[in-house]
Amino acid sequence: MEKLRLGVLGSGKGSNYRAIQEAILRGELEAETRLVISDVETAGILGLARGYGVRAEYVAPGRYRTKLEPEAEERVVKLLSEAGVELVVLAGYMRLVKEPLLEAFGGRIINIHPSLLPAFPGLEAWKQALAAGAVETGCTVHYVDRGMDTGPIIAQRRVPVLAGDTPETLHARIQVQEHEVYPEVVRGIVAGRRGND
Ligand code: GRF
């Protein structure tokens, strides 16, 4: 059985990518990261990938803030396709996915979001949870569709909001769960693929 070929998109430090890559290195995940792409030239996730010997590409996003310029997204699609990517893993990717990527990889793009969706979609969801006085939040892994943090939910983990939590302490507690659940979900997708053989 061939390894599931992953393409990772991220804009930040890449701790979720690291959790997946470490699971691969420990032999817990029959997958390989074919490449990591970022819309931020200085993003930690690119250095992280290079450190693992994984191909890392910066794609200049163009003039929009919330999405890639269509030409830039076409370039992402080309890079992913040429690398033979089967599953696109969004790991702290801070832009909406638009038609070129959705059309090329529809149903094969997953995202991790730091709340119990459908609660608190959008930016800094842990801050939203604190501001709303929620006693519990968490994280969600879901398939990506054309909405913002919508799409079928695959897995969720609950995290308590504790008295005295700051945005930083709460986000850190959520990230502990993210780093467990994201590799687990990819493992489930690998297992499901095997079931279809
Ligand atoms: C995570 O909290 C994830 O849920 C959100 O962005 C953050 C990315 O963190 N989508 P990292 O870059 O994986 O450390």
Side-chain angles (χ1 to χ4, degrees):
M1 181 77 194
E2 280 192 21
K3 293 174 178 174
L4 183 69
R5 297 186 296 272
L6 310 178
V8 178
L9 265 63
S11 312
K13 66 183 193 289
S15 69
N16 279 286
Y17 160 60
R18 180 170 54 221
I20 289 171
Q21 195 65 49
E22 292 288 334
I24 292 173
L25 290 174
R26 286 195 303 270
E28 294 170 6
L29 199 49
E30 285 182 62
E32 62 176 313
T33 309
R34 296 299 279 252
L35 86 163
V36 170
I37 301 175
S38 184
D39 58 321
V40 178
E41 202 164 11
T42 55
I45 195 169
L46 290 176
L48 204 50
R50 292 187 187 112
Y52 287 118
V54 169
R55 182 175 168 204
E57 294 282 348
Y58 163 64
V59 172
R63 74 196 122 129
Y64 303 114
R65 201 172 49 83
T66 58
K67 61 179 182 179
L68 292 180
E69 188 113 11
E71 294 71 23
E73 204 173 83
E74 296 284 6
R75 177 158 152 66
V76 168
V77 168
K78 191 163 184 282
L79 286 167
L80 294 170
S81 303
E82 285 176 359
V85 165
E86 298 168 283
L87 180 71
V88 179
V89 176
L90 305 187
Y93 177 64
M94 300 306 287
R95 291 173 192 266
L96 290 169
V97 172
K98 307 306 280 186
E99 271 59 39
L101 190 50
L102 282 171
E103 275 168 20
F105 286 89
R108 297 190 292 140
I109 310 171
I110 58 174
N111 180 44
I112 189 156
H113 180 79
S115 76
L116 295 173
L117 290 172
F120 311 125
L123 293 177
E124 297 186 318
W126 60 92
K127 282 191 188 167
Q128 296 185 47
L130 271 183
V135 295
E136 185 181 63
T137 183
C139 56
T140 302
V141 181
H142 64 95
Y143 285 105
V144 171
D145 63 12
R146 59 192 69 247
M148 182 176 62
D149 301 321
T150 54
I153 290 172
I154 308 170
Q156 292 187 308
R157 287 288 182 89
R158 296 176 178 281
V159 172
V161 180
L162 303 180
D165 257 342
T166 63
E168 292 73 29
T169 59
L170 180 55
H171 190 212
R173 194 175 309 116
I174 294 170
Q175 287 226 287
V176 171
Q177 295 303 315
E178 290 186 340
H179 300 160
E180 284 186 20
V181 75
Y182 219 5
E184 244 178 61
V185 163
V186 178
R187 199 175 308 128
I189 291 173
V190 170
R193 185 176 72 143
R194 185 169 303 120
N196 292 330
D197 276 354

